[in-house]
Amino acid sequence: ATNAGGDGGNADPDDYTKISLKVDMSTAFNFDWSDAEWEDYINKSYTSSNMPGYGADYKSIEYSNGWVTPCFDGNVTTIPGVLPYASYAEAIVLPNSVIHIGDNAFANHNKCTAINIPTSLQMIGKEAFAYVTCIKDLVLPESVVSIGQAAFFGCSNMTSVTIPSSLKTISTQAFSSSGLTEVFIPSSVQKIETSAFQSCTNLKGVTIGNNTTVATMEVDQSAFQKCTSLKDVVVGSEVK
């Protein structure tokens, strides 16, 4: 499994067909119920006929042994947006059936200490992981073709990112204000948009492209603006 931070709560995404969120409910809500009482409350409150505040995307929300499971019809392929109870989760396990993570899905989820990036993932929405502090060494799988604006904005503990050859555009503010220290951008990337790495103040080295392709890469003039520690920049001949 591709890991973005921690160990995903000691859970293997290959073993899961549903999203799983580890939540200490009594601590999160300062309400002294037993685990069994929380299970009874949640499992009865959120069903296909009664999903207050969450709408038609979910079939039900289940709770058992400290784990919340937002349920969909069949294997989940799209996370439509902010998940129920995700902002309280200590660990988030995303199954390897997920291909699309929607806008703002995990933005500002700073209680989380572990989250995984599914190996099946293709599209990451706008601000999907903005300000998530548990992401440290981000490895994007070769299936990823799209990263939305500011998808990893403000991920202050993220020191490295592996950019796949499948990704053609690094979008506006995609990694702005993150903790990146070095970046290698492969020649397969065709465009680095406005402020893509702006204000990455720990960024010291950047390698953009190489001489292995005749493709052209376009880099916006503000892509690395305010990267105050940047000293070493290596640019391939195909970059303009």
Side-chain angles (χ1 to χ4, degrees), residues 140 144-145 147 162-171 175 183-193 196-197 207-210 213-219 238-240:
L140 296 173
V144 171
V145 296
I147 297 178
T162 300
I163 298 171
S165 60
S166 54
L167 186 68
K168 305 306 179 186
T169 299
I170 299 177
S171 63
F175 299 100
V183 173
F184 171 72
I185 299 167
S187 294
S188 49
V189 171
Q190 297 174 3
K191 188 175 184 180
I192 303 175
E193 293 186 341
F197 296 91
T207 301
I208 304 176
N210 51 43
T213 177
V214 295
T216 299
M217 184 187 298
E218 182 179 345
V219 181
E238 73 278 16
V239 177
K240 66 175 183 179

PDB file of all heavy atoms in Angstrom, residues 140 144-145 147 162-171 175 183-193 196-197 207-210 213-219 238-240:
ATOM      1  N   LEU A 140       2.825   9.296  -4.619  1.00  0.00           N
ATOM      2  CA  LEU A 140       1.633   9.228  -5.456  1.00  0.00           C
ATOM      3  C   LEU A 140       1.779   8.068  -6.430  1.00  0.00           C
ATOM      4  O   LEU A 140       2.789   7.976  -7.131  1.00  0.00           O
ATOM      5  CB  LEU A 140       1.451  10.542  -6.218  1.00  0.00           C
ATOM      6  CG  LEU A 140       1.184  11.775  -5.345  1.00  0.00           C
ATOM      7  CD1 LEU A 140       1.205  13.036  -6.196  1.00  0.00           C
ATOM      8  CD2 LEU A 140      -0.149  11.646  -4.615  1.00  0.00           C
ATOM      9  N   VAL A 144      -2.197   8.092 -10.776  1.00  0.00           N
ATOM     10  CA  VAL A 144      -2.695   9.463 -10.589  1.00  0.00           C
ATOM     11  C   VAL A 144      -2.493  10.296 -11.851  1.00  0.00           C
ATOM     12  O   VAL A 144      -1.373  10.434 -12.348  1.00  0.00           O
ATOM     13  CB  VAL A 144      -2.006  10.150  -9.389  1.00  0.00           C
ATOM     14  CG1 VAL A 144      -2.360  11.637  -9.326  1.00  0.00           C
ATOM     15  CG2 VAL A 144      -2.416   9.468  -8.087  1.00  0.00           C
ATOM     16  N   VAL A 145      -3.596  10.880 -12.356  1.00  0.00           N
ATOM     17  CA  VAL A 145      -3.530  11.708 -13.568  1.00  0.00           C
ATOM     18  C   VAL A 145      -3.927  13.152 -13.309  1.00  0.00           C
ATOM     19  O   VAL A 145      -3.693  14.032 -14.144  1.00  0.00           O
ATOM     20  CB  VAL A 145      -4.425  11.128 -14.693  1.00  0.00           C
ATOM     21  CG1 VAL A 145      -3.926   9.762 -15.124  1.00  0.00           C
ATOM     22  CG2 VAL A 145      -5.894  11.062 -14.254  1.00  0.00           C
ATOM     23  N   ILE A 147      -4.318  16.295 -10.088  1.00  0.00           N
ATOM     24  CA  ILE A 147      -4.265  16.826  -8.727  1.00  0.00           C
ATOM     25  C   ILE A 147      -4.925  18.190  -8.747  1.00  0.00           C
ATOM     26  O   ILE A 147      -4.518  19.079  -9.496  1.00  0.00           O
ATOM     27  CB  ILE A 147      -2.812  16.960  -8.219  1.00  0.00           C
ATOM     28  CG1 ILE A 147      -2.133  15.592  -8.140  1.00  0.00           C
ATOM     29  CG2 ILE A 147      -2.785  17.622  -6.849  1.00  0.00           C
ATOM     30  CD1 ILE A 147      -0.693  15.673  -7.704  1.00  0.00           C
ATOM     31  N   THR A 162       6.842  11.955  -4.245  1.00  0.00           N
ATOM     32  CA  THR A 162       7.185  11.234  -5.473  1.00  0.00           C
ATOM     33  C   THR A 162       6.089  11.491  -6.492  1.00  0.00           C
ATOM     34  O   THR A 162       4.936  11.114  -6.277  1.00  0.00           O
ATOM     35  CB  THR A 162       7.323   9.727  -5.205  1.00  0.00           C
ATOM     36  OG1 THR A 162       8.360   9.507  -4.247  1.00  0.00           O
ATOM     37  CG2 THR A 162       7.660   8.986  -6.488  1.00  0.00           C
ATOM     38  N   ILE A 163       6.448  12.165  -7.569  1.00  0.00           N
ATOM     39  CA  ILE A 163       5.488  12.537  -8.607  1.00  0.00           C
ATOM     40  C   ILE A 163       5.514  11.482  -9.707  1.00  0.00           C
ATOM     41  O   ILE A 163       6.566  11.217 -10.292  1.00  0.00           O
ATOM     42  CB  ILE A 163       5.817  13.925  -9.172  1.00  0.00           C
ATOM     43  CG1 ILE A 163       5.701  14.974  -8.054  1.00  0.00           C
ATOM     44  CG2 ILE A 163       4.902  14.282 -10.341  1.00  0.00           C
ATOM     45  CD1 ILE A 163       6.213  16.337  -8.433  1.00  0.00           C
ATOM     46  N   PRO A 164       4.377  10.874 -10.018  1.00  0.00           N
ATOM     47  CA  PRO A 164       4.360   9.781 -11.000  1.00  0.00           C
ATOM     48  C   PRO A 164       4.455  10.285 -12.435  1.00  0.00           C
ATOM     49  O   PRO A 164       4.113  11.439 -12.738  1.00  0.00           O
ATOM     50  CB  PRO A 164       3.006   9.116 -10.746  1.00  0.00           C
ATOM     51  CG  PRO A 164       2.137  10.242 -10.268  1.00  0.00           C
ATOM     52  CD  PRO A 164       3.038  11.131  -9.457  1.00  0.00           C
ATOM     53  N   SER A 165       4.874   9.428 -13.321  1.00  0.00           N
ATOM     54  CA  SER A 165       4.966   9.793 -14.736  1.00  0.00           C
ATOM     55  C   SER A 165       3.589   9.960 -15.366  1.00  0.00           C
ATOM     56  O   SER A 165       3.460  10.550 -16.438  1.00  0.00           O
ATOM     57  CB  SER A 165       5.757   8.720 -15.502  1.00  0.00           C
ATOM     58  OG  SER A 165       5.110   7.461 -15.399  1.00  0.00           O
ATOM     59  N   SER A 166       2.545   9.469 -14.704  1.00  0.00           N
ATOM     60  CA  SER A 166       1.177   9.594 -15.219  1.00  0.00           C
ATOM     61  C   SER A 166       0.627  11.010 -15.076  1.00  0.00           C
ATOM     62  O   SER A 166      -0.335  11.388 -15.750  1.00  0.00           O
ATOM     63  CB  SER A 166       0.255   8.620 -14.482  1.00  0.00           C
ATOM     64  OG  SER A 166       0.362   8.807 -13.072  1.00  0.00           O
ATOM     65  N   LEU A 167       1.251  11.828 -14.214  1.00  0.00           N
ATOM     66  CA  LEU A 167       0.751  13.178 -13.950  1.00  0.00           C
ATOM     67  C   LEU A 167       1.345  14.164 -14.951  1.00  0.00           C
ATOM     68  O   LEU A 167       2.565  14.302 -15.046  1.00  0.00           O
ATOM     69  CB  LEU A 167       1.110  13.594 -12.518  1.00  0.00           C
ATOM     70  CG  LEU A 167       0.532  14.931 -12.053  1.00  0.00           C
ATOM     71  CD1 LEU A 167      -0.982  14.843 -11.926  1.00  0.00           C
ATOM     72  CD2 LEU A 167       1.152  15.340 -10.713  1.00  0.00           C
ATOM     73  N   LYS A 168       0.496  14.873 -15.674  1.00  0.00           N
ATOM     74  CA  LYS A 168       0.960  15.802 -16.704  1.00  0.00           C
ATOM     75  C   LYS A 168       0.978  17.254 -16.244  1.00  0.00           C
ATOM     76  O   LYS A 168       1.753  18.061 -16.777  1.00  0.00           O
ATOM     77  CB  LYS A 168       0.079  15.677 -17.955  1.00  0.00           C
ATOM     78  CG  LYS A 168      -0.017  14.269 -18.522  1.00  0.00           C
ATOM     79  CD  LYS A 168       1.364  13.662 -18.788  1.00  0.00           C
ATOM     80  CE  LYS A 168       1.262  12.249 -19.319  1.00  0.00           C
ATOM     81  NZ  LYS A 168       2.599  11.594 -19.451  1.00  0.00           N
ATOM     82  N   THR A 169       0.144  17.604 -15.267  1.00  0.00           N
ATOM     83  CA  THR A 169       0.069  18.987 -14.791  1.00  0.00           C
ATOM     84  C   THR A 169       0.131  19.031 -13.272  1.00  0.00           C
ATOM     85  O   THR A 169      -0.595  18.290 -12.595  1.00  0.00           O
ATOM     86  CB  THR A 169      -1.242  19.660 -15.258  1.00  0.00           C
ATOM     87  OG1 THR A 169      -1.281  19.682 -16.681  1.00  0.00           O
ATOM     88  CG2 THR A 169      -1.341  21.086 -14.728  1.00  0.00           C
ATOM     89  N   ILE A 170       1.012  19.879 -12.743  1.00  0.00           N
ATOM     90  CA  ILE A 170       1.031  20.164 -11.307  1.00  0.00           C
ATOM     91  C   ILE A 170       0.253  21.461 -11.138  1.00  0.00           C
ATOM     92  O   ILE A 170       0.676  22.530 -11.586  1.00  0.00           O
ATOM     93  CB  ILE A 170       2.464  20.292 -10.777  1.00  0.00           C
ATOM     94  CG1 ILE A 170       3.212  18.965 -10.997  1.00  0.00           C
ATOM     95  CG2 ILE A 170       2.455  20.651  -9.292  1.00  0.00           C
ATOM     96  CD1 ILE A 170       4.660  19.003 -10.585  1.00  0.00           C
ATOM     97  N   SER A 171      -0.893  21.373 -10.525  1.00  0.00           N
ATOM     98  CA  SER A 171      -1.862  22.460 -10.546  1.00  0.00           C
ATOM     99  C   SER A 171      -1.497  23.610  -9.617  1.00  0.00           C
ATOM    100  O   SER A 171      -0.597  23.515  -8.776  1.00  0.00           O
ATOM    101  CB  SER A 171      -3.252  21.932 -10.185  1.00  0.00           C
ATOM    102  OG  SER A 171      -3.237  21.416  -8.870  1.00  0.00           O
ATOM    103  N   PHE A 175       1.236  22.237  -3.984  1.00  0.00           N
ATOM    104  CA  PHE A 175       2.095  21.919  -2.838  1.00  0.00           C
ATOM    105  C   PHE A 175       2.545  23.176  -2.103  1.00  0.00           C
ATOM    106  O   PHE A 175       3.501  23.133  -1.322  1.00  0.00           O
ATOM    107  CB  PHE A 175       3.313  21.125  -3.312  1.00  0.00           C
ATOM    108  CG  PHE A 175       2.972  19.816  -3.967  1.00  0.00           C
ATOM    109  CD1 PHE A 175       2.958  19.689  -5.351  1.00  0.00           C
ATOM    110  CD2 PHE A 175       2.625  18.708  -3.210  1.00  0.00           C
ATOM    111  CE1 PHE A 175       2.638  18.488  -5.967  1.00  0.00           C
ATOM    112  CE2 PHE A 175       2.296  17.498  -3.806  1.00  0.00           C
ATOM    113  CZ  PHE A 175       2.300  17.388  -5.189  1.00  0.00           C
ATOM    114  N   VAL A 183      12.677  18.400  -4.443  1.00  0.00           N
ATOM    115  CA  VAL A 183      11.650  17.961  -5.380  1.00  0.00           C
ATOM    116  C   VAL A 183      12.299  17.536  -6.685  1.00  0.00           C
ATOM    117  O   VAL A 183      13.150  18.265  -7.220  1.00  0.00           O
ATOM    118  CB  VAL A 183      10.625  19.085  -5.664  1.00  0.00           C
ATOM    119  CG1 VAL A 183       9.665  18.655  -6.773  1.00  0.00           C
ATOM    120  CG2 VAL A 183       9.839  19.435  -4.420  1.00  0.00           C
ATOM    121  N   PHE A 184      11.897  16.367  -7.184  1.00  0.00           N
ATOM    122  CA  PHE A 184      12.249  15.955  -8.543  1.00  0.00           C
ATOM    123  C   PHE A 184      10.965  15.906  -9.354  1.00  0.00           C
ATOM    124  O   PHE A 184      10.013  15.211  -8.998  1.00  0.00           O
ATOM    125  CB  PHE A 184      12.928  14.591  -8.578  1.00  0.00           C
ATOM    126  CG  PHE A 184      13.104  14.066  -9.984  1.00  0.00           C
ATOM    127  CD1 PHE A 184      14.045  14.634 -10.831  1.00  0.00           C
ATOM    128  CD2 PHE A 184      12.299  13.042 -10.464  1.00  0.00           C
ATOM    129  CE1 PHE A 184      14.183  14.193 -12.143  1.00  0.00           C
ATOM    130  CE2 PHE A 184      12.440  12.585 -11.773  1.00  0.00           C
ATOM    131  CZ  PHE A 184      13.393  13.165 -12.607  1.00  0.00           C
ATOM    132  N   ILE A 185      10.936  16.653 -10.445  1.00  0.00           N
ATOM    133  CA  ILE A 185       9.763  16.698 -11.314  1.00  0.00           C
ATOM    134  C   ILE A 185      10.127  16.015 -12.623  1.00  0.00           C
ATOM    135  O   ILE A 185      10.983  16.498 -13.369  1.00  0.00           O
ATOM    136  CB  ILE A 185       9.319  18.147 -11.556  1.00  0.00           C
ATOM    137  CG1 ILE A 185       8.955  18.794 -10.212  1.00  0.00           C
ATOM    138  CG2 ILE A 185       8.129  18.191 -12.512  1.00  0.00           C
ATOM    139  CD1 ILE A 185       8.794  20.290 -10.264  1.00  0.00           C
ATOM    140  N   PRO A 186       9.512  14.873 -12.918  1.00  0.00           N
ATOM    141  CA  PRO A 186       9.913  14.107 -14.099  1.00  0.00           C
ATOM    142  C   PRO A 186       9.560  14.813 -15.404  1.00  0.00           C
ATOM    143  O   PRO A 186       8.691  15.690 -15.451  1.00  0.00           O
ATOM    144  CB  PRO A 186       9.116  12.806 -13.948  1.00  0.00           C
ATOM    145  CG  PRO A 186       7.942  13.171 -13.109  1.00  0.00           C
ATOM    146  CD  PRO A 186       8.421  14.225 -12.162  1.00  0.00           C
ATOM    147  N   SER A 187      10.231  14.437 -16.475  1.00  0.00           N
ATOM    148  CA  SER A 187      10.006  15.039 -17.790  1.00  0.00           C
ATOM    149  C   SER A 187       8.612  14.787 -18.332  1.00  0.00           C
ATOM    150  O   SER A 187       8.171  15.485 -19.245  1.00  0.00           O
ATOM    151  CB  SER A 187      11.036  14.501 -18.784  1.00  0.00           C
ATOM    152  OG  SER A 187      12.325  14.923 -18.440  1.00  0.00           O
ATOM    153  N   SER A 188       7.926  13.824 -17.792  1.00  0.00           N
ATOM    154  CA  SER A 188       6.565  13.528 -18.243  1.00  0.00           C
ATOM    155  C   SER A 188       5.586  14.638 -17.870  1.00  0.00           C
ATOM    156  O   SER A 188       4.527  14.772 -18.492  1.00  0.00           O
ATOM    157  CB  SER A 188       6.097  12.202 -17.640  1.00  0.00           C
ATOM    158  OG  SER A 188       6.335  12.184 -16.247  1.00  0.00           O
ATOM    159  N   VAL A 189       5.933  15.441 -16.861  1.00  0.00           N
ATOM    160  CA  VAL A 189       5.088  16.592 -16.508  1.00  0.00           C
ATOM    161  C   VAL A 189       5.202  17.637 -17.611  1.00  0.00           C
ATOM    162  O   VAL A 189       6.297  18.000 -18.034  1.00  0.00           O
ATOM    163  CB  VAL A 189       5.507  17.193 -15.150  1.00  0.00           C
ATOM    164  CG1 VAL A 189       4.789  18.511 -14.888  1.00  0.00           C
ATOM    165  CG2 VAL A 189       5.227  16.202 -14.021  1.00  0.00           C
ATOM    166  N   GLN A 190       4.076  18.132 -18.077  1.00  0.00           N
ATOM    167  CA  GLN A 190       4.054  19.101 -19.168  1.00  0.00           C
ATOM    168  C   GLN A 190       3.873  20.540 -18.701  1.00  0.00           C
ATOM    169  O   GLN A 190       4.261  21.478 -19.396  1.00  0.00           O
ATOM    170  CB  GLN A 190       2.939  18.735 -20.154  1.00  0.00           C
ATOM    171  CG  GLN A 190       3.152  17.384 -20.827  1.00  0.00           C
ATOM    172  CD  GLN A 190       1.970  16.963 -21.679  1.00  0.00           C
ATOM    173  OE1 GLN A 190       0.991  17.691 -21.831  1.00  0.00           O
ATOM    174  NE2 GLN A 190       2.060  15.755 -22.227  1.00  0.00           N
ATOM    175  N   LYS A 191       3.303  20.710 -17.502  1.00  0.00           N
ATOM    176  CA  LYS A 191       3.049  22.068 -17.034  1.00  0.00           C
ATOM    177  C   LYS A 191       3.075  22.147 -15.512  1.00  0.00           C
ATOM    178  O   LYS A 191       2.520  21.289 -14.836  1.00  0.00           O
ATOM    179  CB  LYS A 191       1.689  22.557 -17.553  1.00  0.00           C
ATOM    180  CG  LYS A 191       1.410  24.029 -17.270  1.00  0.00           C
ATOM    181  CD  LYS A 191       0.092  24.468 -17.934  1.00  0.00           C
ATOM    182  CE  LYS A 191      -0.142  25.953 -17.728  1.00  0.00           C
ATOM    183  NZ  LYS A 191      -1.417  26.407 -18.371  1.00  0.00           N
ATOM    184  N   ILE A 192       3.753  23.178 -15.005  1.00  0.00           N
ATOM    185  CA  ILE A 192       3.735  23.494 -13.578  1.00  0.00           C
ATOM    186  C   ILE A 192       3.041  24.846 -13.455  1.00  0.00           C
ATOM    187  O   ILE A 192       3.550  25.864 -13.928  1.00  0.00           O
ATOM    188  CB  ILE A 192       5.151  23.549 -12.977  1.00  0.00           C
ATOM    189  CG1 ILE A 192       5.879  22.223 -13.209  1.00  0.00           C
ATOM    190  CG2 ILE A 192       5.081  23.848 -11.478  1.00  0.00           C
ATOM    191  CD1 ILE A 192       7.325  22.230 -12.755  1.00  0.00           C
ATOM    192  N   GLU A 193       1.873  24.853 -12.831  1.00  0.00           N
ATOM    193  CA  GLU A 193       1.033  26.036 -12.851  1.00  0.00           C
ATOM    194  C   GLU A 193       1.401  27.062 -11.775  1.00  0.00           C
ATOM    195  O   GLU A 193       2.310  26.860 -10.964  1.00  0.00           O
ATOM    196  CB  GLU A 193      -0.435  25.627 -12.721  1.00  0.00           C
ATOM    197  CG  GLU A 193      -0.955  24.854 -13.922  1.00  0.00           C
ATOM    198  CD  GLU A 193      -2.440  24.578 -13.857  1.00  0.00           C
ATOM    199  OE1 GLU A 193      -3.029  24.643 -12.759  1.00  0.00           O
ATOM    200  OE2 GLU A 193      -3.026  24.293 -14.921  1.00  0.00           O
ATOM    201  N   ALA A 196       2.597  26.740  -7.769  1.00  0.00           N
ATOM    202  CA  ALA A 196       2.503  25.312  -7.438  1.00  0.00           C
ATOM    203  C   ALA A 196       3.297  24.948  -6.192  1.00  0.00           C
ATOM    204  O   ALA A 196       2.871  24.119  -5.384  1.00  0.00           O
ATOM    205  CB  ALA A 196       2.967  24.470  -8.617  1.00  0.00           C
ATOM    206  N   PHE A 197       4.477  25.562  -6.023  1.00  0.00           N
ATOM    207  CA  PHE A 197       5.329  25.296  -4.856  1.00  0.00           C
ATOM    208  C   PHE A 197       5.614  26.584  -4.072  1.00  0.00           C
ATOM    209  O   PHE A 197       6.582  26.646  -3.315  1.00  0.00           O
ATOM    210  CB  PHE A 197       6.649  24.665  -5.313  1.00  0.00           C
ATOM    211  CG  PHE A 197       6.486  23.309  -5.952  1.00  0.00           C
ATOM    212  CD1 PHE A 197       6.315  23.180  -7.319  1.00  0.00           C
ATOM    213  CD2 PHE A 197       6.498  22.151  -5.184  1.00  0.00           C
ATOM    214  CE1 PHE A 197       6.163  21.942  -7.917  1.00  0.00           C
ATOM    215  CE2 PHE A 197       6.351  20.897  -5.766  1.00  0.00           C
ATOM    216  CZ  PHE A 197       6.181  20.794  -7.143  1.00  0.00           C
ATOM    217  N   THR A 207      14.907  19.637  -9.112  1.00  0.00           N
ATOM    218  CA  THR A 207      15.311  19.150 -10.433  1.00  0.00           C
ATOM    219  C   THR A 207      14.064  19.083 -11.291  1.00  0.00           C
ATOM    220  O   THR A 207      13.092  18.412 -10.951  1.00  0.00           O
ATOM    221  CB  THR A 207      15.963  17.759 -10.340  1.00  0.00           C
ATOM    222  OG1 THR A 207      17.115  17.834  -9.495  1.00  0.00           O
ATOM    223  CG2 THR A 207      16.388  17.281 -11.723  1.00  0.00           C
ATOM    224  N   ILE A 208      14.092  19.809 -12.409  1.00  0.00           N
ATOM    225  CA  ILE A 208      12.932  19.879 -13.285  1.00  0.00           C
ATOM    226  C   ILE A 208      13.293  19.270 -14.630  1.00  0.00           C
ATOM    227  O   ILE A 208      14.113  19.807 -15.372  1.00  0.00           O
ATOM    228  CB  ILE A 208      12.470  21.336 -13.494  1.00  0.00           C
ATOM    229  CG1 ILE A 208      12.185  22.018 -12.141  1.00  0.00           C
ATOM    230  CG2 ILE A 208      11.227  21.374 -14.362  1.00  0.00           C
ATOM    231  CD1 ILE A 208      11.829  23.486 -12.272  1.00  0.00           C
ATOM    232  N   GLY A 209      12.690  18.143 -14.936  1.00  0.00           N
ATOM    233  CA  GLY A 209      12.913  17.499 -16.219  1.00  0.00           C
ATOM    234  C   GLY A 209      14.318  16.946 -16.379  1.00  0.00           C
ATOM    235  O   GLY A 209      15.159  16.998 -15.484  1.00  0.00           O
ATOM    236  N   ASN A 210      14.557  16.355 -17.544  1.00  0.00           N
ATOM    237  CA  ASN A 210      15.875  15.829 -17.885  1.00  0.00           C
ATOM    238  C   ASN A 210      15.984  15.805 -19.401  1.00  0.00           C
ATOM    239  O   ASN A 210      15.185  16.434 -20.099  1.00  0.00           O
ATOM    240  CB  ASN A 210      16.097  14.439 -17.258  1.00  0.00           C
ATOM    241  CG  ASN A 210      14.944  13.495 -17.570  1.00  0.00           C
ATOM    242  OD1 ASN A 210      14.456  13.457 -18.691  1.00  0.00           O
ATOM    243  ND2 ASN A 210      14.511  12.737 -16.575  1.00  0.00           N
ATOM    244  N   THR A 213      13.558  13.108 -23.088  1.00  0.00           N
ATOM    245  CA  THR A 213      12.347  13.224 -23.896  1.00  0.00           C
ATOM    246  C   THR A 213      12.371  14.508 -24.708  1.00  0.00           C
ATOM    247  O   THR A 213      13.006  15.475 -24.325  1.00  0.00           O
ATOM    248  CB  THR A 213      11.091  13.197 -22.991  1.00  0.00           C
ATOM    249  OG1 THR A 213       9.940  13.373 -23.803  1.00  0.00           O
ATOM    250  CG2 THR A 213      11.136  14.292 -21.941  1.00  0.00           C
ATOM    251  N   VAL A 214      11.643  14.518 -25.806  1.00  0.00           N
ATOM    252  CA  VAL A 214      11.580  15.726 -26.629  1.00  0.00           C
ATOM    253  C   VAL A 214      10.360  16.571 -26.273  1.00  0.00           C
ATOM    254  O   VAL A 214      10.112  17.612 -26.867  1.00  0.00           O
ATOM    255  CB  VAL A 214      11.516  15.374 -28.138  1.00  0.00           C
ATOM    256  CG1 VAL A 214      12.791  14.704 -28.568  1.00  0.00           C
ATOM    257  CG2 VAL A 214      10.300  14.494 -28.451  1.00  0.00           C
ATOM    258  N   ALA A 215       9.577  16.131 -25.286  1.00  0.00           N
ATOM    259  CA  ALA A 215       8.399  16.883 -24.857  1.00  0.00           C
ATOM    260  C   ALA A 215       8.813  18.223 -24.251  1.00  0.00           C
ATOM    261  O   ALA A 215       9.950  18.411 -23.824  1.00  0.00           O
ATOM    262  CB  ALA A 215       7.608  16.071 -23.840  1.00  0.00           C
ATOM    263  N   THR A 216       7.869  19.152 -24.204  1.00  0.00           N
ATOM    264  CA  THR A 216       8.130  20.481 -23.657  1.00  0.00           C
ATOM    265  C   THR A 216       7.424  20.638 -22.327  1.00  0.00           C
ATOM    266  O   THR A 216       6.262  20.262 -22.173  1.00  0.00           O
ATOM    267  CB  THR A 216       7.633  21.569 -24.629  1.00  0.00           C
ATOM    268  OG1 THR A 216       8.336  21.444 -25.852  1.00  0.00           O
ATOM    269  CG2 THR A 216       7.864  22.960 -24.058  1.00  0.00           C
ATOM    270  N   MET A 217       8.120  21.217 -21.346  1.00  0.00           N
ATOM    271  CA  MET A 217       7.533  21.490 -20.055  1.00  0.00           C
ATOM    272  C   MET A 217       7.435  23.004 -19.862  1.00  0.00           C
ATOM    273  O   MET A 217       8.410  23.722 -20.055  1.00  0.00           O
ATOM    274  CB  MET A 217       8.377  20.875 -18.930  1.00  0.00           C
ATOM    275  CG  MET A 217       7.750  21.037 -17.532  1.00  0.00           C
ATOM    276  SD  MET A 217       8.864  20.494 -16.203  1.00  0.00           S
ATOM    277  CE  MET A 217       9.072  18.759 -16.599  1.00  0.00           C
ATOM    278  N   GLU A 218       6.265  23.460 -19.461  1.00  0.00           N
ATOM    279  CA  GLU A 218       6.045  24.885 -19.224  1.00  0.00           C
ATOM    280  C   GLU A 218       5.967  25.132 -17.720  1.00  0.00           C
ATOM    281  O   GLU A 218       5.154  24.510 -17.027  1.00  0.00           O
ATOM    282  CB  GLU A 218       4.751  25.341 -19.904  1.00  0.00           C
ATOM    283  CG  GLU A 218       4.465  26.821 -19.739  1.00  0.00           C
ATOM    284  CD  GLU A 218       3.188  27.234 -20.455  1.00  0.00           C
ATOM    285  OE1 GLU A 218       2.706  26.449 -21.298  1.00  0.00           O
ATOM    286  OE2 GLU A 218       2.689  28.334 -20.164  1.00  0.00           O
ATOM    287  N   VAL A 219       6.795  26.034 -17.216  1.00  0.00           N
ATOM    288  CA  VAL A 219       6.837  26.342 -15.783  1.00  0.00           C
ATOM    289  C   VAL A 219       6.411  27.792 -15.585  1.00  0.00           C
ATOM    290  O   VAL A 219       7.044  28.712 -16.109  1.00  0.00           O
ATOM    291  CB  VAL A 219       8.248  26.121 -15.200  1.00  0.00           C
ATOM    292  CG1 VAL A 219       8.242  26.418 -13.694  1.00  0.00           C
ATOM    293  CG2 VAL A 219       8.723  24.703 -15.460  1.00  0.00           C
ATOM    294  N   GLU A 238      14.452  20.562 -22.129  1.00  0.00           N
ATOM    295  CA  GLU A 238      13.134  20.663 -22.724  1.00  0.00           C
ATOM    296  C   GLU A 238      12.222  21.636 -21.968  1.00  0.00           C
ATOM    297  O   GLU A 238      11.077  21.857 -22.363  1.00  0.00           O
ATOM    298  CB  GLU A 238      12.454  19.291 -22.794  1.00  0.00           C
ATOM    299  CG  GLU A 238      11.951  18.731 -21.459  1.00  0.00           C
ATOM    300  CD  GLU A 238      13.060  18.051 -20.654  1.00  0.00           C
ATOM    301  OE1 GLU A 238      14.231  18.260 -20.962  1.00  0.00           O
ATOM    302  OE2 GLU A 238      12.736  17.317 -19.720  1.00  0.00           O
ATOM    303  N   VAL A 239      12.705  22.233 -20.907  1.00  0.00           N
ATOM    304  CA  VAL A 239      11.890  23.146 -20.098  1.00  0.00           C
ATOM    305  C   VAL A 239      11.944  24.541 -20.697  1.00  0.00           C
ATOM    306  O   VAL A 239      12.987  25.011 -21.129  1.00  0.00           O
ATOM    307  CB  VAL A 239      12.411  23.181 -18.633  1.00  0.00           C
ATOM    308  CG1 VAL A 239      11.606  24.178 -17.810  1.00  0.00           C
ATOM    309  CG2 VAL A 239      12.321  21.796 -18.017  1.00  0.00           C
ATOM    310  N   LYS A 240      10.779  25.221 -20.696  1.00  0.00           N
ATOM    311  CA  LYS A 240      10.759  26.596 -21.193  1.00  0.00           C
ATOM    312  C   LYS A 240      10.121  27.531 -20.173  1.00  0.00           C
ATOM    313  O   LYS A 240       9.416  27.112 -19.282  1.00  0.00           O
ATOM    314  CB  LYS A 240      10.015  26.677 -22.517  1.00  0.00           C
ATOM    315  CG  LYS A 240       8.530  26.368 -22.425  1.00  0.00           C
ATOM    316  CD  LYS A 240       7.849  26.595 -23.754  1.00  0.00           C
ATOM    317  CE  LYS A 240       6.338  26.369 -23.669  1.00  0.00           C
ATOM    318  NZ  LYS A 240       5.663  26.609 -24.935  1.00  0.00           N
TER     319      LYS A 240
END
